[in-house]
């Protein structure tokens, strides 16, 4: 799994290059066949994998844990906020997960633990992790895609869905 | 909980999708977009051959990819009567935005009318009339007949001055060359309407009279100048939020130092560094934060002046720069006059300015050094001066505007690379109208006349005074009272009895009533008072031309059908003219009827060819075919020729004789006309412009590059601009009487008065009420929590907002979102204006008290700091 902090520099370099269309710098995963099964009734939404992203024991208060979901090319974070929030999972309802690819132009977001916001070094957008990823300020035309999380009895944290389209893909599950 | 669309995949644009040129119809930057449409039953595939991008879409795409679009960029609309998929996404090949999309423009698709996806269902689909006590649909013929009969009756009885008009003067949505010409030809050609006002101000006047009077059109540079400047001087503007992609795509590269190569290449004989930036604004903005991040705090100077004291600062700059000998003497001698007069008349010491502005002497001195001290080796420092509503809607508009242009002229910064003294702009521009000289100057204060009971008929084109005027509460009260008189009269007569209906209406008008006709795309707030609504088409539902803040003219191609029977404004104006002609003829007033000839347009292109093509400077070179071929980059006005045929020296005309340029204060300056110059008539005719031709048009990158300005002798005129305190009547007293400065302006999420955004879940979820940014100490003192509803009140009226804490707000200095439907800031703005009837929205003071705890829709919203913060 990629460190999102390293991607801050990557984003900066892309912007600095002034290139209009930077090639994808993200490593390609195995190519999945397109869901073209004949005669199958397509579901209204894509079918998400249930993916274990970590365990509650791995989470430290207000420190982002880098994850990826629904696949390795879609970086994200889990954060334990220490207070119950809407969309929060776990016994305290305080665990949230978000994509860290900015839905504006695909630059990597980084976490600011003082404000508890995810911030984009590319064009200064700010998303509030305590308000469902609401774009406090910024350029994206959507709030930050958030994971549907489930925590089982062992404390394992599973992501099972995403509530907005992830940047760089026209289907959340490729 | 933050609004989420729960959309996790989108239809893929097939390789053979239709492609249309689009320019964002919101702000003046005019970002290039492409609209892709394709059959509802088709879709592209992920394999490269199966999609428009020729890219493997089964892979994650990287940052800045062209091969992605957000749900807000997608919709299903009607095209030629059939449902089609549409994607409207930023165009990477447009030099303005290079593929960047703002939070406003990148929602154009979602903000389109879609019966299938229930977006913008507020759009008007039929003419509506006041019938049986409510607004009811009717036919165009029926609605236009009533409007024409009442309008003609009132004109016949009281003269044209009894017809009041409110009409946009800009480009983009609710404007553009076609539509300003259509309305202009009707009201300034067929009639000579004097009681007319513009969408955002209560009179028909320029927001920037001073710079035009000095001979300097206000859009005189190009966006590349922001990449070339040594110093960018910004006054009363928050460009990251309000000219977003101009800032991101052209200022940031200079602040980061990545336009260095371009500087060396274009300006080789002088040293270059990354830009410095000076921002004059009473409050700290996200723009300042972004500048500090990119340029470093040591290259960003925020001059947080006392509100409304800009003029004293500019005079001090001029005085200090002249004393130091940092002026461009050669330029002043060759291209200007009255320099000495201005120096003598505007003399202001650093100490005096410091006392007035609240800045320190060092801040003023250092900022003057940043903008004018010669560079190493003695090269002239290139400074770009940019201003917008903080100055335009600020204290003593005329002189303050002049004082800033003085500094730009003195330092030789107009007409040269890396320079310019420009307004940053709101909407795009798109003004083509017959002369407005009969309006006079100062123009009539239309809102006050309406309040005082004058006028019998009011035609409104794309304006909503209820949200966007000053003294709004008083205006609304008077307007409702007067239009209610007519409504009650109408309700008493059967609709089918037209003579009785017209008689009832005109009788009510004689008793102080007002008949109100509202042409718009949605039912506006002022529309609540209107008797007739006429449904208009907007950009993309019609072909529409406009120019952006660097005079870049493009054609937005029609990519979808207008809702129902909605029509382009230019054609509504034409049909209204046809009906007025008919009615006047029936009345036996043949001479008046004849004035309404010349409106036989069938399409918006007819209006364009009749208007811009024939009447605007360089218009003879401009056709739809050529603009279409030039895509989203277009050309920069004025056009001077056709590629392959070279620039033509031929003087262009907007008058009746060749070479004559019609005078008029409205917009000439912006486009670089010579309003008081008579070009020498030449016998040489310009090359004919075949409508079918698609040769590129040659434009003009910068105005005044030859040092010749828009005055009789071609010399720019320095202006005497003495400081005279708060100039608008009553402002000084208001500032002493009330506790809080109610500064006001725009926010990133919202376009204009939210006329489309008010139906957008994403926006209304973020701001169900207008925010008022307050210092946390002030909030504590008033016992306010984040999101609490507060009342803002003073002697002008009252309004509401939700409290938003921020350290960026100085104690006792608030900032309220302007023009919002759920809390109109204009309610508390006084009627005070400058000598040319320019409103003074910014200098408003009021008290604040709590109304209620945060309502349900406000709970869970983010009230965090809007500034980007680096990792911690």
């Amino acid at each position: 799994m990629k460190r999102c902090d390293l991607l801050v520099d990557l984003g900066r370099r892309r912007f600095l290059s002034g290139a209009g269309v930077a090639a994808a710098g993200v490593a390609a995963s195995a190519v999945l066949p397109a869901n073209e099964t004949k005669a199958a009734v397509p579901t209204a939404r894509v079918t998400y994998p249930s993916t274990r992203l970590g365990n509650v024991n791995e989470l430290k208060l207000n420190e982002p844990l880098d994850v990826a979901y629904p696949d390795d090319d879609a970086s994200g974070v889990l954060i334990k906020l220490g207070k119950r929030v809407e969309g929060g999972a776990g016994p305290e309802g305080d665990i949230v997960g978000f994509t860290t690819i900015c839905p504006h132009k695909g630059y990597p977001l980084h976490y600011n633990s003082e404000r508890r916001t995810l911030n984009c070094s590319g064009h200064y957008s700010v998303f509030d992790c305590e308000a469902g990823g609401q774009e406090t300020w910024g350029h994206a035309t959507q709030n930050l895609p958030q994971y549907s999380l489930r925590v089982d009895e062992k404390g394992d944290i599973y992501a099972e869905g995403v509530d907005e389209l992830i940047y760089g893909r026209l289907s959340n599950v490729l | 909980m933050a609004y989420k669309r729960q959309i996790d995949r989108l239809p893929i644009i097939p390789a053979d999708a239709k492609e249309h040129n689009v320019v964002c119809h919101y702000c003046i930057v005019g970002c290039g977009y492409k609209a892709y449409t394709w059959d509802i039953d088709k879709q592209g595939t992920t394999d490269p051959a199966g999609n428009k991008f020729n890219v493997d879409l089964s892979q994650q795409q990287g940052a800045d990819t062209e091969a992605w679009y957000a749900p807000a960029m997608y919709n299903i609309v009607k095209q030629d009567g059939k449902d089609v998929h549409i994607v409207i996404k930023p165009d990477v090949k447009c030099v303005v935005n290079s593929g960047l999309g703002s939070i406003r423009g990148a929602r154009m698709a979602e903000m389109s009318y879609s019966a299938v996806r229930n977006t913008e269902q507020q759009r008007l689909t039929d003419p509506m009339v006041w019938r049986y006590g409510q607004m009811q649909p009717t036919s165009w013929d029926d609605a236009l007949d009533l409007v024409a009969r009442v309008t003609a009756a009132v004109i016949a009885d009281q003269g044209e001055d009894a017809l009041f008009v409110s009409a946009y003067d800009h480009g983009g949505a609710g404007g553009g060359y076609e539509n300003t010409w259509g309305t202009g030809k009707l009201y300034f050609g067929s009639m000579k309407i004097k009681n007319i006002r513009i969408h955002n101000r209560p009179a028909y006047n320029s927001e920037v009279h001073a710079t035009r009077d000095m001979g300097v059109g206000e859009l005189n540079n190009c966006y590349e100048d922001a990449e070339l400047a040594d110093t960018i001087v910004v006054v009363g503007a928050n460009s990251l939020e309000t000219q977003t992609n101009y800032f991101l795509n052209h200022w940031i590269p200079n602040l980061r130092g990545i336009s260095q190569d371009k500087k060396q290449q274009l300006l080789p004989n002088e040293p270059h560094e990354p830009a410095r930036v000076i921002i004059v604004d009473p409050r700290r903005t996200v723009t300042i934060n972004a500048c500090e991040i990119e340029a470093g705090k040591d290259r960003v100077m925020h001059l947080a002046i006392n509100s409304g004291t800009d003029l004293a600062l500019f005079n001090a700059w001029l005085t200090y720069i002249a004393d130091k000998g940092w002026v461009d003497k050669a330029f002043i001698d060759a291209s200007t006059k009255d320099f000495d007069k201005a120096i003598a008349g505007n003399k202001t010491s650093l100490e005096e300015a410091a006392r007035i502005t609240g800045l320190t002497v060092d801040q003023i001195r250092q900022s003057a050094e940043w903008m004018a001290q010669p560079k190493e080796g003695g090269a002239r420092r290139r400074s770009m001066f940019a201003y917008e509503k903080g100055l335009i809607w600020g204290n003593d508009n005329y002189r303050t505007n002049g004082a800033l242009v003085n500094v730009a002229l003195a330092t030789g910064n107009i007409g040269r690379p890396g320079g310019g003294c420009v307004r940053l702009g709101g909407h795009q521009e798109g003004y083509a109208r017959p002369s407005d000289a009969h309006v006079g100057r100062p123009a009539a204060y239309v809102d006050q006349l309406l309040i005082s009971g004058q006028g019998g008929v009011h035609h409104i084109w794309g304006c909503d005074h209820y949200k966007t005027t000053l003294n709004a509460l008083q205006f609304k009260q008077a307007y409702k009272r007067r239009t209610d008189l007519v409504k009650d009269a109408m309700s008493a007569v059967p609709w089918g009895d037209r003579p009785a209906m017209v008689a009832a209406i005109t009788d009510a008008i004689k008793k102080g009533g007002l008949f109100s006709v509202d042409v718009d795309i949605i039912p506006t707030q002022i529309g609540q008072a209107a008797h007739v609504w006429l449904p208009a088409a907007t950009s993309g539902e019609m072909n529409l031309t406009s120019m952006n803040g660097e005079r870049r003219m493009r054609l937005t191609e029609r990519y979808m059908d207008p809702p129902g029977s909605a029509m382009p404004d230019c054609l509504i104006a034409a049909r209204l003219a046809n009906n007025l002609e008919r009615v006047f003829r029936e009345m036996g007033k043949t001479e008046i009827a004849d004035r309404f000839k010349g409106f036989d347009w069938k399409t918006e292109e007819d209006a364009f060819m009749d208007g811009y093509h024939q009447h605007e400077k360089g218009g003879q070179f401009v056709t739809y075919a050529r603009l279409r071929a030039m895509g989203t980059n277009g050309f920069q006005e004025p056009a001077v020729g056709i590629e392959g045929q070279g620039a033509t020296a031929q003087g262009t005309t907007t008058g009746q004789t060749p070479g004559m340029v019609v005078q008029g204060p409205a917009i000439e300056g912006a486009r670089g006309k010579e309003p008081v110059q008579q070009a020498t008539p030449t016998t040489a005719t310009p090359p004919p412009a075949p409508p079918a031709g698609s040769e590129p048009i040659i434009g003009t990158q910068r105005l005044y590059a030859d040092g010749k300005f828009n005055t009789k002798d071609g010399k720019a005129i320095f202006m005497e601009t003495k400081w005279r305190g708060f100039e608008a009547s009553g402002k000084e007293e208001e500032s002493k009487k009330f506790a809080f400065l109610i500064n006001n302006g725009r926010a990133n999420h919202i376009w204009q008065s939210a006329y489309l955004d008010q139906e957008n879940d994403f926006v209304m979820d973020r701001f169900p009420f207008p925010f008022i940014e307050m210092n946390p100490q002030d909030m504590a003192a008033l016992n306010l929590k984040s999101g609490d509803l507060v009342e803002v009140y003073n002697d002008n009226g009252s309004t509401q907002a939700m409290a938003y804490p921020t350290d960026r707000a100085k104690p006792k200095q608030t900032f309220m979102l302007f023009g919002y439907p759920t809390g109109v800031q204009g309610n508390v703005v006084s009627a005070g204006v400058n000598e040319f009837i320019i409103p003074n929205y910014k200098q408003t003071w009021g008290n604040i008290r709590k109304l209620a705890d945060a309502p349900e829709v406000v709970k869970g919203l983010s009230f965090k700091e809007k500034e980007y913060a680096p990792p911690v």
Side-chain angles (χ1 to χ4, degrees):
Chain A
M1 289 185 192
K2 284 169 282 293
R3 290 284 310 164
C4 76
D5 291 354
L6 297 177
L7 286 170
V8 172
D9 284 336
L10 178 65
R12 179 61 59 96
R13 279 201 306 277
R14 280 203 190 111
F15 195 92
L16 283 167
S17 77
V21 199
V26 184
S29 65
V31 179
L32 298 170
N35 297 333
E36 294 280 329
T37 322
K38 268 192 179 169
V41 179
T43 48
R45 303 184 74 225
V46 298
T47 303
Y48 287 91
S50 177
T51 307
R52 183 185 173 279
L53 299 181
N55 187 280
V56 290
N57 296 328
E58 296 169 54
L59 289 178
K60 292 183 188 141
L61 183 65
N62 202 22
E63 277 186 29
L65 174 71
D66 292 325
V67 298
Y69 183 79
D71 53 58
D72 283 354
D73 287 335
S75 57
V77 281
L78 290 182
I79 306 162
K80 182 177 172 58
L81 294 167
K83 73 172 210 187
R84 187 173 292 275
V85 293
E86 290 196 64
E92 278 88 46
D94 65 341
I95 299 169
V96 290
F98 294 99
T99 178
T100 51
I101 308 173
C102 182
H104 172 226
K105 295 301 286 180
Y107 290 76
L109 301 173
H110 61 75
Y111 188 64
N112 180 297
S113 59
E114 282 172 8
R115 294 187 183 171
R116 302 184 174 203
T117 53
L118 281 159
N119 298 266
C120 179
S121 60
H123 310 96
Y124 327 113
S125 296
V126 177
F127 301 91
D128 190 342
C129 298
E130 295 179 310
Q134 185 167 59
E135 189 170 28
T136 305
W137 189 93
H139 313 289
T141 55
Q142 62 196 73
N143 295 313
L144 194 61
Q146 182 169 9
Y147 303 153
S148 303
L149 296 178
R150 174 176 62 88
V151 180
D152 71 9
E153 62 284 359
K154 298 195 293 280
D156 285 339
I157 306 164
Y158 291 85
E160 303 191 318
V162 183
D163 59 10
E164 276 277 6
L165 192 66
I166 296 170
Y167 182 92
R169 47 182 72 197
L170 293 174
S171 169
N172 273 351
V173 176
L174 291 172
Chain B
M1 187 71 189
Y3 167 73
K4 298 293 174 68
R5 292 182 184 80
Q6 300 291 355
I7 289 176
D8 56 9
R9 62 177 166 186
L10 287 172
I12 292 170
I13 307 174
D16 62 352
K18 273 196 252 175
E19 191 175 319
H20 315 257
N21 296 318
V22 176
V23 178
C24 177
H25 49 74
Y26 300 134
C27 96
I28 188 164
V29 178
C31 292
Y33 280 74
K34 290 279 183 186
Y36 301 94
T37 54
W38 69 98
D39 193 281
I40 190 70
D41 296 323
K42 301 270 168 25
Q43 59 181 316
T45 58
T46 54
D47 62 293
N51 62 66
K52 193 80 190 173
F53 313 110
N54 199 21
V55 159
D56 179 2
L57 293 175
S58 70
Q59 302 295 308
Q60 169 76 30
Q61 307 298 310
D64 289 326
T65 180
E66 202 178 352
W68 187 75
Y69 33 97
M73 301 178 199
Y74 170 79
N75 212 335
I76 296 172
V77 298
K78 284 258 192 281
Q79 188 180 72
D80 302 325
K82 289 182 188 149
D83 284 330
V84 293
H85 298 277
I86 189 166
V87 168
I88 307 178
K89 56 189 285 298
D91 182 7
V92 294
K93 295 189 187 73
C94 177
V95 294
V96 173
N97 55 311
S98 303
L100 289 169
S102 77
I103 189 171
R104 299 169 301 283
R107 286 187 287 113
M108 269 189 289
E110 189 173 74
M111 306 288 267
S112 298
Y113 177 77
S114 172
V116 176
R117 297 181 78 239
N118 285 314
T119 54
E120 293 300 333
Q121 290 298 292
Q122 62 172 339
R123 288 290 303 274
L124 295 172
T125 55
D126 301 90
M128 305 281 281
V129 293
W130 183 258
R131 199 169 67 207
Y132 319 134
Q134 59 182 297
M135 296 307 282
Q136 307 269 15
T138 192
S139 66
W140 275 102
D141 283 347
D142 184 49
L144 288 172
D145 179 76
L146 180 70
V147 173
R149 285 185 188 282
V150 173
T151 302
V154 167
I155 288 173
D157 185 42
Q158 303 182 46
E160 286 181 352
D161 288 354
L163 171 56
F164 277 52
V165 177
S166 299
Y168 49 77
D169 69 339
H170 54 74
Y177 288 116
E178 293 78 1
N179 296 328
T180 57
W181 178 253
T183 47
K185 189 174 183 180
L186 177 61
Y187 297 113
F188 293 165
S190 303
M191 296 181 269
K192 290 276 176 265
I193 297 303
K194 190 177 80 184
N195 292 319
I196 179 168
R197 55 103 85 191
I198 296 173
H199 61 284
N200 63 357
R201 51 196 189 270
Y204 204 85
N205 50 11
S206 169
E207 291 167 311
V208 288
H209 267 326
T211 190
R212 292 180 186 181
D213 287 352
M214 296 165 81
V216 183
E218 67 271 21
L219 300 178
N220 48 60
N221 75 354
C222 60
Y223 283 179
E224 191 177 67
D225 285 325
E227 298 172 39
L228 301 176
D230 293 305
T231 302
I232 300 176
V233 183
V234 190
V235 178
N238 176 16
S239 298
L240 175 57
E241 294 203 65
T242 53
Q243 293 91 22
T244 302
N245 294 328
Y246 178 27
F247 181 84
L248 291 175
N249 206 31
H250 300 279
W251 298 26
I252 289 293
N254 197 357
L255 295 170
R256 280 185 180 172
I258 59 178
S259 61
Q260 201 74 356
D261 289 349
K262 192 183 253 188
K263 288 179 170 183
Q264 295 291 1
Q265 188 200 335
L266 295 175
L267 310 164
N269 300 316
E270 56 188 86
H272 293 289
E273 288 179 21
R276 287 188 171 122
V277 59
I278 299 165
I279 300 178
V280 182
D281 196 320
R283 69 175 183 131
R284 182 179 168 86
T285 60
V286 291
T287 301
I288 294 166
N289 183 57
C291 288
E292 286 177 354
I293 288 163
E294 301 306 341
K297 285 189 179 180
D298 58 333
R299 302 186 78 79
V300 179
M301 198 183 304
H302 174 205
L303 300 179
I305 58 170
N306 293 330
S307 177
T309 62
D310 313 56
L311 173 54
L313 173 65
F314 305 160
N315 282 349
W317 280 347
L318 182 70
T319 305
Y320 185 75
I321 288 167
D323 283 351
K324 282 286 176 185
W326 294 338
V327 296
D328 188 336
K329 194 163 180 316
F331 170 80
I332 291 169
D333 290 347
S335 296
T336 72
K337 57 190 181 195
D338 293 350
F339 175 69
D340 293 338
K341 242 203 255 178
I343 292 295
N346 303 344
K347 200 164 190 55
T348 306
S349 68
L350 297 178
E351 291 72 19
E352 197 183 348
R355 185 178 53 75
I356 297 169
T357 60
L359 301 172
T360 66
V361 165
D362 281 347
Q363 281 178 305
I364 303 174
R365 182 191 297 119
Q366 198 187 8
S367 55
E369 286 168 3
W370 277 23
M371 74 183 72
Q373 189 172 38
K375 297 197 275 187
E376 211 183 297
R380 191 180 63 83
R381 195 167 290 279
R382 296 175 186 276
S383 291
M384 175 184 128
F385 297 82
Y387 59 94
E388 193 40 41
K389 290 295 191 297
L391 186 158
I392 289 171
W393 290 157
N395 175 41
D396 214 352
N397 157 300
Y398 186 79
R399 290 175 178 219
T400 306
N401 184 198
L404 187 64
V405 180
N406 280 342
V407 179
L409 283 172
T411 53
N413 271 308
I414 300 181
R416 293 176 169 168
C421 185
V422 294
R423 74 171 294 181
L424 287 159
H427 300 262
Q428 283 196 78
E429 301 292 352
Y431 189 94
R433 275 181 182 152
S435 169
D436 61 356
H438 64 278
V439 170
R441 179 167 154 179
Y445 192 162
V446 167
D447 284 16
Q448 288 297 97
L449 295 179
L450 284 170
I451 289 170
S452 70
Q454 296 193 47
V457 179
H458 188 201
H459 293 181
I460 309 164
W461 298 78
C463 302
D464 196 351
H465 309 43
Y466 275 31
K467 285 190 294 187
T468 60
T469 197
L470 66 172
N471 194 25
L473 198 65
Q474 215 197 342
F475 179 87
K476 283 181 264 200
Q477 287 167 346
Y479 200 83
K480 180 174 186 303
R481 197 165 53 237
R482 297 190 61 196
T483 49
D484 276 351
L485 281 175
V486 173
K487 281 185 175 173
D488 292 343
M490 290 174 77
S491 296
V493 181
W495 182 261
D497 188 347
R498 185 55 40 102
M501 181 60 73
V502 173
I505 293 169
T506 51
D507 185 50
I509 289 169
K510 286 201 183 82
K511 291 175 180 149
L514 183 71
F515 181 69
S516 172
V517 181
D518 191 13
V519 187
D520 212 308
I521 61 172
I522 58 153
T524 58
Q525 291 197 354
I526 196 172
Q528 292 163 7
H531 310 96
V532 178
W533 297 340
L534 300 177
T538 191
S539 183
E541 298 161 1
M542 64 176 290
N543 296 291
L544 190 71
T545 55
S546 304
M547 74 167 189
N548 82 343
E550 54 174 350
R551 293 162 285 102
R552 190 176 294 280
M553 181 176 183
R554 276 86 43 95
L555 168 70
T556 291
E557 296 176 288
R558 174 175 160 146
Y559 50 75
M560 63 179 282
D561 301 345
S565 65
M567 288 199 292
D569 289 36
C570 54
L571 297 185
I572 297 175
R575 298 298 88 85
L576 184 52
N578 300 152
N579 275 275
L580 282 164
E581 183 185 350
R582 175 178 59 83
V583 170
F584 275 119
R585 222 172 278 293
E586 276 177 27
M587 291 163 81
K589 296 182 182 295
T590 312
E591 194 197 331
I592 299 178
D594 286 345
R595 291 186 214 145
F596 292 91
K597 284 182 171 171
F599 284 98
D600 51 353
W601 311 327
K602 298 281 185 291
T603 66
E604 56 272 28
E605 190 170 5
D606 293 342
F608 179 82
M609 295 307 283
D610 187 52
Y612 187 92
H613 180 74
Q614 281 198 60
H615 291 85
E616 289 303 316
K617 178 169 178 156
Q620 76 268 34
F621 303 115
V622 186
T623 61
Y624 272 18
R626 291 205 172 110
L627 287 172
R628 213 170 264 133
M630 296 187 83
T632 56
N633 286 328
F635 74 97
Q636 287 175 272
E637 294 186 49
V640 294
I642 299 292
E643 235 167 68
Q645 300 173 6
T648 311
Q650 172 74 14
T652 57
T653 178
T654 61
Q656 294 175 352
T657 55
M660 179 188 175
V661 177
V662 171
Q663 293 190 35
I667 205 82
E668 293 92 331
R671 228 175 7 254
K673 274 186 194 166
E674 298 80 43
V676 292
Q677 270 186 323
Q678 290 256 343
T680 318
T682 60
T683 47
T685 47
S694 57
E695 310 87 343
I697 299 159
I698 304 169
T700 309
Q701 189 183 17
R702 286 182 192 89
L703 303 184
Y704 319 125
D706 59 356
K708 298 263 189 308
F709 291 88
N710 291 357
T711 52
K712 272 185 188 142
D713 58 6
K715 292 193 175 196
I717 308 164
F718 280 91
M719 186 179 276
E720 279 188 73
T721 57
K722 275 204 187 77
W723 167 251
R724 49 182 176 175
F726 288 130
E727 175 250 359
S729 154
K731 293 288 183 184
E732 180 70 34
E733 297 72 30
E734 191 178 284
S735 75
K736 294 199 168 77
K737 186 171 175 188
F738 296 98
F740 290 92
L741 173 71
I742 314 294
N743 194 357
N744 54 90
R746 305 296 188 181
N748 200 45
H749 272 69
I750 297 141
W751 170 244
Q752 225 244 359
S753 62
Y755 58 90
L756 289 176
D757 289 326
Q758 65 188 350
E759 288 249 320
N760 188 261
D761 292 330
F762 172 67
V763 172
M764 294 314 287
D765 170 73
R766 177 74 186 107
F767 296 122
F769 298 97
F771 59 77
I772 184 164
E773 292 182 348
M774 297 179 70
N775 184 279
Q777 289 170 26
D778 289 339
M779 283 182 57
L782 292 170
N783 207 14
L784 293 172
K785 301 178 300 299
S786 296
D788 284 355
L789 282 187
V790 297
E791 182 169 51
V792 180
Y793 62 100
N794 58 18
D795 293 340
N796 310 309
S798 53
T799 188
Q800 65 174 13
M802 61 178 188
Y804 199 122
T806 174
D807 292 329
R808 289 184 293 111
K810 288 192 229 168
K812 303 293 181 193
Q813 297 200 1
T814 68
F815 181 83
M816 180 174 168
L817 180 59
F818 180 80
Y820 211 55
T822 49
V824 172
Q825 193 273 339
N827 282 5
V828 293
V829 178
S830 81
V833 290
N834 85 341
E835 61 269 51
F836 299 118
I837 325 294
I838 294 293
N840 185 183
Y841 293 104
K842 301 290 184 181
Q843 279 73 47
T844 294
W845 287 267
N847 287 341
I848 296 173
R849 60 188 160 213
K850 181 167 169 171
L851 284 173
D853 287 337
E856 192 60 32
V857 284
V858 172
K859 286 176 189 162
L861 291 195
S862 178
F863 283 98
K864 290 186 177 168
E865 183 45 58
K866 297 172 186 174
E867 286 185 0
Y868 163 87
V872 176

